[in-house]
C-alpha cells in the first residue's frame, strides 16, 4: 500500500519524468551490458584476456570520471545540464559501438564516453532527492520506486538485446540503445527541473571510515559480492554458448528472469529488515549467492539454470536493496561518505571481476570462473559475520 501511495503522490509530470528517465536509461544500459562480452568476442574478435581487460579499464575510468563529475556538480554545476551531457555521451558511445570494431578505440574513447554516460544515473537520483526535499515529500519511498525502474528495465532489456543482436545484428542493437538515450535527452530537457545547488553545510571534520572495523568488513564483503556478480555477467554468455553449446537467447532470458525476481525480493528486504535487522538479511542474501554459484558448477540444463535464478535474485535483490542503507546506519551523520563507499564497492568489484574472469577463462575455462566465484561468495559470507547488526 505504501508503494501504491507513493506512485499516486508521484503522478505529477515532473515525478513521472524522473521515473521515465530512470527506466529509459536502464533500458539503454540493459541493451548494452549483457551482450558486451559476446560482442567483443564475436564482432571485435579478441581473446578472453582482452575481454576481461576491457571490463577492468571500464571500471577504473568509470570511478575516476564519475568522481570528478560528481565533485563538479556539487560545487558549481546544474545537475539537469550534466544529465543532458551524460545522455548525449550515451548517444555517442552507442553510435561508436554500432559502427566501429577497433578494440583499442572502443577501450579508450568508447570507455570514456560510456563513463560519462554512466554518471547520468547517480546525478538523476541526486536531482530527484533535491526535488522531493523541496516539495516536502518523503524521499525514501520515491527513491525506492525509481530503483525499481532499473530492475524493470533489466527484465525487458537483456532478452530484447539478445533477440535484436541475433536477429538483426549488434549494430542494430546499439542503434536501439542510442534511440533510448535520445528519448532520455528529450524528457530531461522538457520536464526535469533545473534547481539551484543546496546551501553548503559548512566544513566537517574528515574522519577515515576505514578505521571502523564494521565498515571495513562490510566494504570488503560487498566488494566480494559484486565481484561475483560482475564475473557472472561477463562470463555467462560465453559459458552458455561456448562450453554448454546452448542458444545465445538463453543468456538474455537468464538475466531477464533474475531481474524480474529481484523486484519483489528488494521490496521484501525493506519490509523484513525493520524486524530482523540488516545483518541477518545480508547473511541470507550471501547464503543464496553461495547456493547459486555452487549450483552453476554442476547444473547445465536450460530449465535448471532458469530455476537457479531464484537464488541469484535473492542474492542481488537484497544486497542492492539494503547495502547502501547498511553503510549509512554504520556511519550516522556521514550519508555522503557511506553512499560513496557502497558505490565504490560495486566499481571495485567490477575491476576485480574483469581481471579475474579474463585470466581464469583464458588459462583454465569459463566453468572455472564460477569455481572462483563460489569461493569468493564463501569469503563474503565470512566477512558479513564480522559486521555488527543494525
Amino acid at each position: 500500500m505504501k508503494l501504491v501511495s507513493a506512485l499516486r503522490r508521484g503522478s505529477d509530470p515532473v515525478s513521472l519524468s524522473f521515473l521515465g528517465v530512470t527506466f529509459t536509461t536502464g533500458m539503454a544500459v540493459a541493451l548494452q551490458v549483457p551482450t558486451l562480452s559476446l560482442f567483443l568476442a564475436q564482432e571485435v574478435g579478441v581473446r578472453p584476456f582482452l575481454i576481461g581487460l576491457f571490463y577492468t579499464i571500464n571500471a577504473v575510468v568509470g570511478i575516476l570520471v564519475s568522481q570528478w563529475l560528481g565533485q563538479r556538480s556539487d560545487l558549481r554545476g546544474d545537475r539537469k545540464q550534466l544529465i543532458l551531457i551524460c545522455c548525449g555521451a550515451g548517444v555517442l558511445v552507442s553510435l561508436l559501438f554500432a559502427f566501429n570494431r577497433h578494440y583499442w578505440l572502443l577501450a579508450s574513447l568508447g570507455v570514456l564516453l560510456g563513463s560519462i554516460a554512466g554518471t547520468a544515473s547517480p546525478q538523476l537520483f541526486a536531482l530527484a532527492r533535491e526535488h522531493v526535499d523541496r516539495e516536502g515529500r518523503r524521499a525514501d519511498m520515491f527513491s525506492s520506486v525509481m530503483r525499481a525502474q532499473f530492475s524493470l528495465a533489466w527484465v525487458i532489456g537483456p532478452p530484447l538485446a539478445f533477440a535484436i543482436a541475433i536477429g538483426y545484428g549488434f549494430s542494430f542493437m546499439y542503434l536501439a540503445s542510442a534511440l533510448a538515450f535520445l528519448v532520455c535527452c528529450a524528457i530531461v530537457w522538457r520536464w526535469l527541473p533545473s534547481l539551484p545547488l543546496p546551501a553548503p553545510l559548512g566544513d566537517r571534520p574528515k574522519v577515515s571510515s576505514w578505521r571502523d572495523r564494521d565498515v571495513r568488513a562490510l566494504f570488503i564483503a560487498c566488494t566480494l559480492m559484486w565481484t561475483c556478480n560482475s564475473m557472472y555477467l561477463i562470463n555467462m554468455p560465453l559459458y552458455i554458448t561456448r562450453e554448454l553449446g546452448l542458444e545465445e537467447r538463453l543468456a538474455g532470458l537468464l538475466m531477464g528472469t533474475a531481474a524480474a525476481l529481484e523486484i519483489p525480493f528488494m521490496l521484501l528486504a525493506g519490509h523484513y529488515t525493520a524486524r530482523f535487522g540488516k545483518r541477518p538479511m545480508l547473511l541470507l542474501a550471501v547464503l543464496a549467492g553461495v547456493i547459486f554459484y555452487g549450483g552453476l558448477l554442476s547444473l547445465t540444463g536450460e530449465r535448471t539454470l532458469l530455476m537457479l535464478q531464484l537464488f541469484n535474485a535473492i542474492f542481488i535483490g537484497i544486497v542492492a536493496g539494503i547495502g547502501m542503507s547498511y553503510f549509512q546506519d554504520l556511519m550516522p551523520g556521514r550519508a555522503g561518505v557511506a553512499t560513496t563507499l557502497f558505490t565504490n564497492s560495486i566499481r571495485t568489484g567490477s575491476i576485480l571481476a574483469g581481471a579475474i574472469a579474463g585470466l581464469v577463462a583464458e588459462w583454465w575455462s569459463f566453468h572455472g570462473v564460477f569455481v572462483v566465484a563460489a569461493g569468493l561468495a564463501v569469503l563474503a559470507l565470512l566477512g558479513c559475520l564480522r559486521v555488527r547488526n543494525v
Side-chain angles (χ1 to χ4, degrees), residues 154 222-236 255 258 262 292-293 309 312-313 315-317 319-320 346 349-350 353 370 373 376-377:
W154 274 79
C222 285
T223 298
L224 292 173
M225 295 179 218
W226 292 116
T227 301
C228 294
N229 183 60
S230 296
M231 288 170 64
Y232 172 72
L233 293 176
I234 296 170
N235 187 69
M236 189 265 289
M255 292 184 185
E262 282 172 19
F292 173 67
Y293 290 106
Q309 297 308 310
N312 190 23
F315 177 45
I316 299 302
V319 174
I346 300 174
S350 297
F370 295 134
L376 294 180

Side-chain angles (χ1 to χ4, degrees), residues 12-90:
D12 62 280
V14 175
S15 297
L16 289 176
S17 68
F18 276 113
L19 300 180
V21 175
T22 304
F23 175 78
T24 312
T25 53
M27 278 293 297
V29 173
L31 285 171
Q32 294 185 9
V33 173
T35 59
L36 179 58
S37 59
L38 210 59
F39 169 79
L40 293 172
Q42 293 185 356
E43 292 286 305
V44 184
V46 295
R47 65 185 194 271
F49 172 76
L50 290 179
I51 295 174
L53 178 64
F54 186 96
Y55 279 87
T56 301
I57 295 172
N58 187 52
V60 172
V61 175
I63 292 174
L64 297 176
V65 170
S66 63
Q67 181 72 21
W68 180 70
L69 290 176
Q71 289 177 345
R72 284 184 62 87
S73 69
D74 287 340
L75 293 173
R76 65 179 81 173
D78 183 345
R79 294 194 197 279
K80 176 178 178 177
Q81 297 301 319
L82 180 55
I83 295 170
L84 272 174
I85 292 172
C86 293
C87 292

Side-chain angles (χ1 to χ4, degrees), residues 62-384:
I63 292 174
L64 297 176
V65 170
S66 63
Q67 181 72 21
W68 180 70
L69 290 176
Q71 289 177 345
R72 284 184 62 87
S73 69
D74 287 340
L75 293 173
R76 65 179 81 173
D78 183 345
R79 294 194 197 279
K80 176 178 178 177
Q81 297 301 319
L82 180 55
I83 295 170
L84 272 174
I85 292 172
C86 293
C87 292
V91 175
L92 294 178
V93 72
S94 299
L95 294 176
L96 180 65
F97 273 75
F99 300 111
N100 178 74
R101 298 296 182 268
H102 299 285
Y103 175 81
W104 290 110
L105 183 61
L106 295 174
S108 54
L109 179 60
V111 164
L112 178 61
L113 290 172
S115 298
I116 297 173
T119 308
S121 177
Q123 289 299 317
L124 184 65
F125 276 87
L127 182 60
R129 177 58 184 265
E130 293 169 359
H131 170 68
V132 295
D133 284 347
R134 283 177 173 269
E135 295 289 315
R137 294 155 49 194
R138 285 186 58 194
D140 53 352
M141 188 57 69
F142 186 67
S143 178
S144 297
V145 176
M146 286 183 63
R147 284 198 302 268
Q149 303 307 304
F150 270 107
S151 295
L152 181 59
W154 274 79
V155 173
I156 303 170
L160 181 62
F162 280 95
I164 295 174
I166 295 170
Y168 301 96
F170 284 96
S171 294
F172 196 88
M173 184 199 70
Y174 282 111
L175 288 175
S177 179
L179 178 62
F181 275 117
L182 274 176
V183 172
C184 290
C185 289
I187 299 174
V188 171
W189 176 79
R190 176 63 180 84
W191 283 292
L192 286 193
S194 182
L195 302 178
L197 291 174
L201 298 176
D203 295 331
R204 293 181 176 179
K206 296 182 179 179
V207 180
S208 175
S209 55
W210 197 250
R211 296 180 181 178
D212 188 316
R213 182 183 69 87
D214 295 307
V215 173
R216 186 169 61 247
L218 182 59
F219 178 83
I220 294 173
C222 285
T223 298
L224 292 173
M225 295 179 218
W226 292 116
T227 301
C228 294
N229 183 60
S230 296
M231 288 170 64
Y232 172 72
L233 293 176
I234 296 170
N235 187 69
M236 189 265 289
L238 299 174
Y239 173 68
I240 290 290
T241 56
R242 295 192 176 185
E243 291 196 9
L244 299 185
L246 300 173
E247 297 181 8
E248 294 174 346
R249 65 168 183 82
L250 178 60
L253 184 60
L254 293 175
M255 292 184 185
T257 300
L261 294 173
E262 282 172 19
I263 298 175
F265 286 114
M266 193 179 298
L267 299 175
L268 286 171
H271 174 73
Y272 284 104
T273 294
R275 181 182 302 178
F276 299 109
K278 290 185 171 61
R279 188 175 73 167
M281 297 302 299
L282 201 62
L283 288 172
L284 173 63
V286 186
L287 182 60
V290 173
I291 295 173
F292 173 67
Y293 290 106
L296 288 174
L297 301 181
S298 56
L299 302 177
T300 58
E302 180 173 339
R303 182 174 299 179
T304 52
L305 289 173
L306 282 169
M307 292 174 62
L308 269 180
Q309 297 308 310
L310 174 65
F311 296 99
N312 190 23
I314 296 173
F315 177 45
I316 299 302
I318 296 178
V319 174
I322 69 172
M324 185 181 296
S325 61
Y326 205 165
F327 276 102
Q328 292 170 346
D329 289 346
L330 290 174
M331 305 168 64
R334 293 184 288 167
V337 177
T339 303
T340 301
L341 276 174
F342 178 72
T343 303
N344 284 344
S345 73
I346 300 174
R347 290 168 174 162
T348 305
S350 297
I351 295 172
L352 295 175
I356 295 171
L359 289 173
V360 174
E362 180 151 326
W363 293 345
W364 188 3
S365 67
F366 294 111
H367 179 268
V369 175
F370 295 134
V371 176
V372 177
L376 294 180
V378 173
L379 291 177
L381 183 64
L382 297 176
C384 290

